Amino acid sequence: MKVAPFSAILLSLASACVAQNACQTSTVATSVPPNDTQLALQSYSYCGGSLDVVAYIANLDYNKAVTLFYTNGANESTPLASQALSYISAAPGASGWELWGSNGTDAYLDGVTQLLNLTYAATDIGQTYSQQLGLPVTASGAAAPKGIAQAKPYATPSGLSQDIADWLALSGGNASETIISKNLMFANINIPGAANGTVIAAQSYTSPNYAYNWVRDSSLTMDVVYQLYNAATSASAKAAYADILFQYAGARATEQNDPNLQTGLGEPKFNLNNTVFTGPWGRPQNDGPATSAITLIEFANAYLQNNGSLTTVKELIYESSTNSTQAPVKKDLLFVASNWSSPTYDLWEEEESTHFYDRLVQRRALLMGAAFAQFLNDSATSTTLSNAASALTATLSEFWDEGRQLIVYEYGPVLNNKASYKDVAVVLAILHGYAGDDIYSYTDDQVLVSAYQIATSFIPVFPIANVTTDSTGQILGIPVGRYPEDVYNGTGTTLGNPWYLTTAALAELFYRAANSYNTSGFIAVTNTSLPFWTYFAPNANATAGSSYSSPSTTYNALIGSLEGWADAFVRRIKYHTPAGGHLSEEFNRNTGIAQGAADLTWSYASLLTTAFARAELTGDSSYIRTLANLGI
């Protein structure tokens, strides 16, 4: 690493307050530094709680990563106490130099006391340059906001609604959105010409081209197939689901053994003939081996409970050591155990960091794998997986940001301009990664307040959120996207939109939270969870520090609000679903019209798991069984 002496580029450090509450910008350098320095902080300002910086960066290569590190309000240096800078423009009058900067990052949530250093990684040439700063930061301008502002609810839905029951009812036959989603999901499994056991993300071949077998999407889709297998009482339907799941296990083993893997088992996607995609992509994506292992362990356990052969499970699902071309699970589990702490791309395939979603699904896979390995008398593997799970679990508290009152989606500097640190990936992490042991459960206080902040962050972003009722006056839930700063529109990058699967994720979380509370029989409201209840259940008048037991009036009001909002989120999906029930990836932020990849498999899978969660809440144990017995 090459370090530029600060004294060589510090030309002036002056700031003047021209009026009361005016922002003060401290100028550090007025021109580009010497050619052997490669970077220099030009100016900075910490005004009204926002940190703005501008830096000179030598244009040494195309791919650059420029990061400013500082200490937070507690005078600590953490991965969150940093900013990833972005390109602004060419530096005026300085050939070969660029201006990079941040744009008003809300640093007040963690605070800023001192700028530590500026780092420039010229990744194409493998060089890293650093400028040591040691500059004290003084706040200027208007006072920074205090705490997290409480959003005001636009509606107070309560209780489950008949219109949603009717939309999902299996008695509706081919008009049932649940049956439509099941049929269209299976239409994307084993499509003609593709390898057995594969799932096409969407039968969209241009603008966008989703004609690939993504490891993550496939595993989540096959998890729905497992749930149908587990519920089916029809022998023919059960056998058909089992055939697909065994094909999936074989396909995953094929992927593991592809000779052209770019980053080991963390490869994100494969061609439809199940050969690895070798073009440029965000890799590795280390959640895929975990979610695949979860699905196949669930299936193996259910298969054995239905008098399946233990030898078959070992040879075609688990024992990669002796059946590497057929059985993928052990190999995926050991990969997770060895790589869980490594940086990985997120589930949106956009940025490499330490991600909450990955950690939680990896933890679940390791815990399930340890128990399954022990059941199969593989004590050595069980110990390895259990030790890795313990080490991983010890890191999860890093993701809780006390200042933001938020589970941050990644533990690191602001990336991709996602300064809010809010991402529905946190909700999906709970749905896909909760291990049933009260670590980040559906009713966890931190989960609830994070879900509240994530959901409400989209209200000012999406104009369609201003449409709050359907034609009959029924409440529409919040249209939920991936994250508020999103720019992906389904085919390019302009403005992001709500997604069907992310809106469904909020509904599923609410159904599962209500069911969990009903199982325990009480709801404890804390200072952390109070903002969630204040927004989603204002009429309950719950107070922090209180516990409400069933069937008290307050308890019933809180549960009723969870039910009402869950159905409202589903109603939002219903409102934007075109005739015929086909679900795309997104619906337009302005018009609500479906766009992006048509017939997205993950959209159908998420609608189905949401419908299953609603049925579980209502105690309708026959719902998934009836659907499963319809077969393929």
Side-chain angles (χ1 to χ4, degrees), residues 420-466:
S420 71
Y421 279 94
K422 298 172 185 175
D423 192 315
V424 78
V426 169
V427 175
L428 291 167
I430 307 305
L431 298 178
H432 303 159
Y434 176 47
D437 58 356
D438 293 330
I439 302 296
Y440 288 116
S441 69
Y442 308 122
T443 59
D444 181 274
D445 290 349
Q446 294 176 4
V447 169
L448 294 179
V449 73
S450 298
Y452 149 70
Q453 287 207 59
I454 292 164
T456 56
S457 72
F458 295 104
I459 296 175
V461 172
F462 298 143
I464 197 68
N466 293 317

Side-chain angles (χ1 to χ4, degrees), residues 7 69 95 106 113 183 186 207 214 232 330 368 422 489 503:
S7 59
F69 295 91
S95 177
D106 289 333
T113 55
N183 291 340
F186 275 98
S207 298
W214 265 272
K330 183 175 179 178
M368 291 177 63
K422 298 172 185 175
N489 63 14
T503 305

Side-chain angles (χ1 to χ4, degrees), residues 287-497:
D287 59 313
T291 54
S292 179
I294 289 169
T295 294
L296 287 172
I297 292 172
E298 287 177 321
F299 169 55
N301 282 324
Y303 178 76
L304 291 172
Q305 289 170 4
N306 283 273
N307 299 315
S309 164
L310 182 60
T311 299
T312 299
V313 166
K314 289 181 177 179
E315 292 181 351
L316 299 183
I317 294 179
Y318 177 74
E319 192 50 76
S320 309
S321 300
T322 54
N323 299 280
S324 63
T325 62
Q326 295 176 299
V329 167
K330 183 175 179 178
K331 194 171 186 177
D332 270 340
L333 290 172
L334 292 174
F335 175 85
V336 173
S338 298
N339 293 275
W340 67 264
S341 61
S342 302
T344 175
Y345 273 80
D346 62 322
L347 78 169
W348 310 129
E349 309 186 303
E350 294 176 336
E351 56 194 47
E352 188 174 30
S353 185
T354 299
H355 294 280
F356 182 73
Y357 179 89
D358 292 73
R359 288 285 170 90
L360 216 58
V361 297
Q362 288 167 338
R363 178 180 185 272
R364 183 183 178 197
L366 290 169
L367 291 173
M368 291 177 63
F372 193 60
Q374 190 62 49
F375 169 74
L376 297 178
N377 296 318
D378 188 354
S379 298
T381 299
S382 178
T383 299
T384 297
L385 302 179
S386 181
N387 289 342
S390 296
L392 186 158
T393 301
T395 71
L396 292 178
S397 61
E398 297 173 346
F399 293 94
W400 172 247
D401 189 297
E402 187 69 29
R404 290 178 171 83
Q405 287 290 287
L406 178 74
I407 299 173
V408 295
Y409 78 96
E410 59 99 5
Y411 188 57
V414 173
L415 298 171
N416 205 30
N417 295 316
K418 294 169 70 170
S420 71
Y421 279 94
K422 298 172 185 175
D423 192 315
V424 78
V426 169
V427 175
L428 291 167
I430 307 305
L431 298 178
H432 303 159
Y434 176 47
D437 58 356
D438 293 330
I439 302 296
Y440 288 116
S441 69
Y442 308 122
T443 59
D444 181 274
D445 290 349
Q446 294 176 4
V447 169
L448 294 179
V449 73
S450 298
Y452 149 70
Q453 287 207 59
I454 292 164
T456 56
S457 72
F458 295 104
I459 296 175
V461 172
F462 298 143
I464 197 68
N466 293 317
V467 179
T468 57
T469 58
D470 66 10
S471 60
T472 67
Q474 297 267 52
I475 300 299
L476 298 175
I478 301 165
V480 178
R482 301 190 301 175
Y483 50 90
E485 302 88 350
D486 196 6
V487 297
Y488 178 62
N489 63 14
T491 57
T493 52
T494 54
L495 293 171
N497 297 302

